[in-house]
DNA sequence: TATCCGTGGCA
DNA sequence: TTGCCAAGGAT
């Protein structure tokens, strides 16, 4: 790892902030330093790219202009606004944090990273980002960009996937961060990481801090950051039951914990839950099991028919879902007293929080109907 | 410490 | 298609 002199640190800050002042991106959450605005943007930006976030941020602010509005919001409206953005616990945690601020802090934001970390959904990165941007505190905000940028600048060998590596980066950045403009410094590092110092195809030759990039100068840029590989997603087979009734389609709300918590999909049956074997269960077997799943009635006239074509697939971070579509038409509305769900008309779909995988199911179903 | 938790872009 | 990566946090 490199060691920088005081003079070099001062020169780096100058080069970085001069570039940021000239080239910084004009983003909706950079119009002011309202902690609420900074916070919402930082949560949305977790593991999510800027272009994806912008429209969600605009809609969210229109719906919940203040932290008090968010604290009082119905969960259904919150999830509806978040649907499609992913990592849905972020939305739930954000509302918890809004309520913590209203109740525990009397509506006034805590201003130190340490206090901010006590709020739901705020970890070391987000605490540093809010403390530096909204409250001008010299606190590092170490995200994937900061790991990548500083590992190259200093040739830091620590594996960034290991939690204990954070302290090594924290100590380095704490020395280099601008005491006068810590928020701009952190944001400049992030802008740098998403422009000149990208993971793939970096353009370091034209970078405003090229001469500080030791890994580049040594021709070893792509060796950084050091990280261990992730495991590939595990395939999981489901039947997706598209069930039409005179009043609309049968939709189920997922359990409050786990994958896609509280979101709405058609009933999904995991193959491994249906039989003790991994081979596909018989269709007749499936009808009985499916019936028990969504109604109190022991048996209803349900005839499941395969919907042609290849299965619908959707890959998450650690699971790959393979969905075989089945279709049934019910002549009457079944008793749904023991079912966490409802019959929904397509015109009301926009009021439900549906994950991307469900939108894929609808797209495929629509295509097959048009044939 | 290792695993869980979404989605989109890109080579 | 597949693999990797992106403004992470909770358990």
């Amino acid at each position: 790892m490199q060691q920088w002199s005081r003079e070099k640190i001062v020169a780096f800050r100058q080069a970085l902030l001069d570039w940021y002042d000239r080239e910084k991106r004009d983003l909706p959450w950079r119009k002011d330093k309202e902690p609420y605005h900074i916070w919402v943007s930082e949560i949305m930006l977790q593991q999510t790219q800027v272009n994806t976030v912008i429209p969600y941020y605009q809609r969210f602010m229109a719906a919940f202009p203040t932290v008090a509005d968010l604290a009082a919001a119905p969960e259904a409206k919150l999830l509806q606004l978040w649907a499609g953005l992913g990592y849905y616990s972020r939305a739930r945690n954000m509302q918890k944090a809004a309520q913590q601020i209203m109740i525990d802090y009397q509506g006034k934001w805590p201003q130190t990273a340490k206090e901010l970390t006590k709020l739901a959904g705020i970890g070391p990165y987000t605490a540093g980002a809010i403390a530096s941007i909204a409250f001008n505190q010299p606190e590092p905000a170490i995200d994937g960009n900061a790991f990548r940028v500083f590992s190259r600048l200093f040739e830091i060998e620590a594996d960034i996937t290991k939690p204990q590596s954070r302290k090594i980066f924290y100590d380095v950045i704490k020395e280099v961060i601008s005491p006068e403009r810590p928020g701009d410094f952190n944001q400049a590092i992030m802008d740098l990481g998403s422009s000149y110092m990208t993971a793939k195809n970096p353009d370091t030759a034209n970078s405003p801090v090229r001469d500080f990039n030791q890994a580049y100068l040594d021709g070893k840029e792509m060796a950084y950051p050091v990280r261990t590989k992730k495991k590939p997603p595990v395939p999981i087979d489901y039947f997706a039951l598209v069930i039409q009734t005179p009043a609309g389609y049968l939709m189920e709300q997922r359990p409050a914990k786990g994958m896609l918590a509280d979101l709405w999909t058609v009933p999904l049956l995991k193959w491994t839950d249906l039989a003790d074997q991994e081979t596909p269960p018989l269709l007749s077997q499936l009808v009985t099991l499916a019936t028990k799943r969504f109604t109190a009635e022991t048996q209803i006239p349900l005839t499941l028919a395969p919907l042609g074509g290849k299965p619908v697939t959707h890959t998450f971070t650690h699971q790959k879902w393979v969905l075989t579509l089945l279709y049934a038409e019910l002549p009457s509305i079944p008793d749904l007293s023991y079912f966490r769900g409802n019959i929904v008309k397509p015109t009301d779909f926009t009021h439900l929080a549906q994950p991307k995988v469900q939108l894929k199911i609808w797209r495929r179903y629509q295509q097959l109907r048009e044939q």
Side-chain angles (χ1 to χ4, degrees):
Chain A
M1 185 181 358
Q2 294 292 305
Q3 198 71 25
W4 285 9
S5 67
R6 177 57 49 187
E7 291 73 24
K8 185 169 180 180
I9 289 174
V10 171
F12 175 79
R13 290 173 186 157
Q14 183 84 35
L16 180 70
L17 289 170
D18 282 354
W19 168 73
Y20 183 71
D21 289 336
R22 291 195 309 272
E23 306 283 345
K24 69 177 171 189
R25 289 175 289 182
D26 184 22
L27 300 170
W29 47 88
R30 284 183 176 173
K31 289 179 182 161
D32 57 59
K33 298 197 170 182
E34 271 298 309
Y36 179 64
H37 297 164
I38 306 301
W39 173 55
V40 172
S41 71
E42 290 300 340
I43 300 294
M44 287 186 169
L45 286 162
Q46 287 171 5
Q47 301 290 286
T48 311
Q49 296 189 336
V50 166
N51 287 338
T52 305
V53 165
I54 290 173
Y56 281 89
Y57 178 84
Q58 309 277 29
R59 286 193 293 268
F60 195 93
M61 280 305 160
F64 310 126
T66 70
V67 65
D69 296 317
L70 176 57
E75 195 204 38
K77 189 176 176 190
L78 181 63
L79 280 182
Q80 184 196 335
L81 280 162
W82 205 272
L85 201 51
Y87 286 141
Y88 298 96
S89 66
R90 290 185 293 176
R92 199 187 314 273
N93 281 330
M94 223 165 49
Q95 185 166 44
K96 270 187 212 159
Q99 292 164 353
Q100 285 177 281
I101 288 168
M102 296 310 293
I103 295 165
D104 300 346
Y105 294 90
Q106 288 78 44
K108 255 185 76 80
W109 281 83
Q111 304 198 2
T112 64
K114 188 179 176 184
E115 280 293 313
L116 286 163
T117 307
K118 294 179 181 172
L119 298 172
I122 296 185
Y125 161 72
T126 307
I130 298 172
S132 63
I133 299 170
F135 301 118
N136 209 38
Q137 301 213 11
E139 191 66 27
I142 313 172
D143 68 334
N145 288 306
F147 276 126
R148 184 172 58 259
V149 167
F150 282 97
S151 70
R152 289 176 183 170
L153 295 180
F154 285 81
E155 294 186 327
I156 300 173
E157 306 289 345
D159 182 343
I160 64 167
T161 67
K162 306 270 184 216
Q164 66 264 33
S165 299
R166 176 173 292 273
K167 179 172 167 42
I168 297 171
F169 284 83
Y170 183 94
D171 291 342
V172 170
I173 300 171
K174 188 75 176 167
E175 291 300 314
V176 180
I177 193 170
S178 163
E180 292 85 18
R181 301 174 58 190
D184 287 344
F185 180 94
N186 283 333
Q187 292 182 91
I189 293 294
M190 293 189 264
D191 276 14
L192 193 60
S194 58
S195 56
Y196 294 101
M197 294 184 69
T198 50
K200 301 173 189 174
N201 305 321
D203 184 20
T204 311
N206 296 308
S207 160
V209 295
R210 178 191 59 193
D211 298 339
F212 298 88
N213 190 333
Q214 195 60 43
Y216 171 75
L217 297 175
D218 291 344
K220 299 191 297 186
E221 191 173 23
M222 298 317 287
Y224 300 91
V226 177
R227 66 156 77 231
T228 54
K229 286 181 182 172
K230 295 164 190 158
K231 292 177 184 172
V234 180
I236 301 178
D237 290 306
Y238 286 93
F239 287 109
L241 310 185
V242 177
I243 300 184
Q244 191 169 22
T245 79
Y249 291 91
L250 197 57
M251 294 291 288
E252 183 171 30
Q253 190 174 24
R254 293 180 57 81
K257 291 185 184 297
M259 290 274 289
L260 307 174
D262 279 344
L263 272 74
W264 292 75
T265 67
V266 297
L268 300 176
L269 302 179
K270 201 184 288 185
W271 287 17
T272 53
D273 287 349
L274 297 173
D276 288 334
Q277 57 213 12
E278 297 198 358
T279 53
L282 298 171
L283 215 53
S284 58
Q285 217 177 342
L286 201 56
V287 171
T288 309
L289 291 160
T291 304
K292 285 180 187 167
R293 167 71 169 279
F294 60 72
T295 174
E297 299 167 35
T298 51
Q299 194 64 277
I300 55 173
L302 181 68
T303 308
L304 288 168
L307 279 173
K310 291 180 299 183
V312 171
T313 64
H314 186 80
T315 304
F316 301 93
T317 306
H318 60 292
Q319 290 180 8
K320 177 183 180 178
W321 287 9
V322 181
L323 304 150
T324 301
L325 269 53
L326 298 175
Y327 176 79
E329 201 171 322
L330 296 182
S332 62
I333 297 170
D335 169 25
L336 299 178
S337 9
Y338 297 110
F339 182 64
R340 189 172 193 239
N342 218 334
I343 292 169
V344 186
K345 291 192 287 288
T347 50
D348 290 330
F349 280 178
T350 55
H351 301 300
L352 292 186
Q354 301 182 58
K356 289 292 178 183
V357 63
Q358 179 58 47
L359 300 185
K360 284 190 186 177
I361 293 170
W362 288 133
R363 270 201 293 275
R364 175 65 62 82
Y365 173 61
Q366 200 60 34
Q367 284 170 5
L368 294 169
R369 283 188 64 176
E370 285 165 7
Q371 288 173 6

